[in-house]
Amino acid sequence: MSAYLMLLAPSANHVYAAETATLAAAELAVTSPDLGAAVERRVAGVDYLAFEADDLDPRKIAAQSSVLALFERASAPAELPGRASEQAALFGSEPAADVPTTSPSEVLLRPIELPRSDVLDDDLVTIPKYRGKTNELFTRLLLHVTLSQVTTRRGTAAAGRDAPTGHDQTRRQFDVLDPLAGRGTTLLTAWTAGHNAYGVELDTSAFEQFAGFLKTYLRRKRLKHTAEVTTVRRDGRMMGQRLDATARPGEQTRGHRAVPDAPQLAMTMFTGDTRDAAVLFGKRKFDAIVTDAPYGVVHGATDARRAPRENGKRGSAGHPTGHRPGGDRDRSPATLLADAIPVWAGQLRAGGALGLSWNTYGLSREDLAAICTDAGLEVRDDGPWLQFAHRVDSSIKRDLMVAVKPARLVS
């Protein structure tokens, strides 16, 4: 069994950075259960995530949300005693109270090449800057752990052989819905990873800003693409707007180098109420629903069954509450999720997965699990699934939950 050290990517968010190692270990345990338990380890003053594996597939590591580089850890050759001082200088360890250290004369690191897992550049996600934006690394983590539980019968977009490792390389493309899309961080993350993306957003301003950014980005990157915003009408009345876009990163242009085996990407986004998501998309089903629920701190959710007071306010999660315009504020997201999750569950294919993050100060994990269970979903609620909770600020403790639609049910 070989030992490995995974170097974690730095985070611009200092709060999230403090939790990165814990979250990365839980993500690795969920998405690669065949690997040994991951622990934080410090070598030469640098923190790594250490784990062991019999037959490592670099593609699984490349897909981790926080990976920057991977090294195989080996013992220094005993026949080179004269180089002990040099090795100590190069691989010297620094003690830490809570992080295991490794003796400097015992460690050599061999870099492992990681295959490219993305089909688009990550600046698609990192360029947009606005207040309330969900952390990009966390969005990637939420998408990754959710898709790891999907067992829908979907074809593969591309298959081949990864030359450096010899492992069979198969790229699976999923249909991902974010029914609280905001300004599209989840949609853009799904596209970056090679999946089709679909969304619903109540705030027309957020919708228009997202559509404008996407059109500009695709044009400046010189990607083969289409992007069009149209008006949705029913019975002669304007009901909202719709964005339809495609991108073909696998095709070469004068300004874009083709990404081998990259599938064509599709995106559709509606303006509307998340509780009407099934009406907006009709019979279309999805492999995964991934969303960041409103945190209920700034404006709270609204209840349309009460007297109108506010219209389309945005919560601290960076997107509107998802309720119909009007109504008194309800600072807990419980009402929204209780109304919406049964709708979302009906939009999943059999074997599909719902992954959402939320503020545990507004809704307990037990209550959210009960809502998902009542909607016919099976909650992942043990082992590493209980290790994702982390503090965002004094009023927000964020956690994630993944629930799966049983494959035995007809979608």
Side-chain angles (χ1 to χ4, degrees):
M1 182 172 289
S2 299
Y4 298 91
L5 294 173
M6 187 172 81
L7 182 62
L8 302 178
S11 174
N13 184 319
H14 72 280
V15 175
Y16 189 83
E19 305 282 355
T20 298
T22 300
L23 295 173
E27 179 185 7
L28 198 64
V30 165
T31 60
S32 300
D34 54 318
L35 302 180
V39 296
E40 190 175 358
R41 188 171 299 279
R42 180 171 296 169
V43 178
V46 178
D47 292 330
Y48 298 85
L49 206 60
F51 61 89
E52 296 181 338
D54 286 321
D55 183 23
L56 182 73
D57 184 351
R59 292 172 304 145
K60 291 185 177 181
I61 306 303
Q64 301 300 308
S65 64
S66 299
V67 65
L68 181 63
L70 180 68
F71 301 90
E72 183 178 8
R73 189 178 66 193
S75 298
E79 62 270 18
L80 298 177
R83 303 202 47 193
S85 60
E86 179 182 343
Q87 294 166 12
L90 184 59
F91 298 107
S93 300
E94 298 179 7
D98 57 346
V99 179
T101 61
T102 301
S103 173
S105 62
E106 296 177 352
V107 177
L108 291 177
L109 303 183
R110 182 175 69 88
I112 304 295
E113 181 179 357
L114 296 178
R116 174 170 177 166
S117 61
D118 293 340
V119 302
L120 294 174
D121 296 335
D122 62 3
D123 62 357
L124 175 63
V125 181
T126 60
I127 286 177
K129 304 292 183 184
Y130 50 89
R131 183 180 180 183
K133 181 182 180 182
T134 305
N135 182 282
E136 295 99 341
L137 291 180
F138 180 77
T139 301
R140 190 180 180 98
L141 181 152
L142 178 60
L143 176 67
H144 188 211
V145 298
T146 303
L147 293 182
S148 73
Q149 302 304 298
V150 173
T151 58
T152 56
R153 295 182 178 180
R154 294 282 291 162
T156 58
R161 181 162 291 276
D162 184 356
T165 66
H167 287 278
D168 288 335
Q169 185 176 23
T170 301
R171 184 185 295 279
R172 297 193 68 191
Q173 185 180 42
F174 295 112
D175 293 335
V176 179
L177 169 67
D178 182 354
L180 295 167
R183 286 176 60 176
T185 301
T186 300
L187 305 186
L188 298 178
T189 301
W191 254 30
T192 301
H195 306 293
N196 296 321
Y198 304 86
V200 177
E201 173 54 40
L202 183 64
D203 188 337
T204 55
S205 176
F207 172 91
E208 290 166 356
Q209 291 179 61
F210 173 75
F213 165 74
L214 184 65
K215 288 181 178 181
T216 300
Y217 180 91
L218 294 172
R219 184 176 65 253
R220 290 181 175 176
K221 284 287 186 174
R222 298 183 181 274
L223 284 157
K224 289 276 190 179
H225 72 278
T226 63
E228 181 182 15
V229 175
T230 57
T231 299
V232 178
R233 297 182 181 277
R234 290 181 185 170
D235 300 325
R237 297 176 56 191
M238 177 179 173
M239 303 300 294
Q241 299 179 79
R242 170 176 177 160
L243 167 68
D244 289 290
T246 64
R248 301 186 292 280
E251 295 187 24
Q252 187 91 6
T253 69
R254 291 181 61 184
H256 168 73
R257 179 178 297 180
V259 178
D261 298 328
Q264 176 169 310
L265 305 173
M267 180 183 296
T268 297
M269 183 178 179
F270 288 97
T271 58
D273 182 347
T274 189
R275 296 179 300 182
D276 294 331
V279 175
L280 293 170
F281 283 102
K283 295 182 179 180
R284 179 182 288 276
K285 302 292 185 179
F286 303 94
D287 301 296
I289 296 176
V290 180
T291 195
D292 185 28
Y295 298 159
V297 175
V298 176
H299 297 292
T302 62
D303 188 342
R305 291 166 292 191
R306 301 181 183 179
R309 285 189 183 177
E310 303 216 18
N311 187 347
K313 293 292 187 179
R314 299 177 70 83
S316 64
H319 48 61
T321 63
H323 277 62
R324 294 178 176 85
D328 289 339
R329 290 183 295 173
D330 177 356
R331 299 191 70 85
S332 168
T335 301
L336 166 64
L337 294 177
D339 289 346
I341 287 177
V343 177
W344 301 344
Q347 293 181 277
L348 283 173
R349 295 187 174 104
L354 165 66
L356 62 88
S357 56
W358 85 105
N359 182 11
T360 62
Y361 291 148
L363 179 65
S364 71
R365 185 176 186 90
E366 293 75 14
D367 288 344
L368 179 57
I371 294 173
C372 292
T373 300
D374 290 344
L377 304 177
E378 297 178 350
V379 177
R380 300 292 188 255
D381 208 24
D382 59 358
W385 292 105
L386 302 178
Q387 299 172 13
F388 288 107
H390 60 285
R391 185 179 68 85
V392 175
D393 61 31
S394 60
S395 58
I396 301 173
K397 183 177 181 181
R398 182 168 57 192
D399 200 355
L400 69 81
M401 179 173 290
V402 173
V404 177
K405 186 171 185 176
R408 65 179 177 272
L409 297 181
V410 177
S411 63

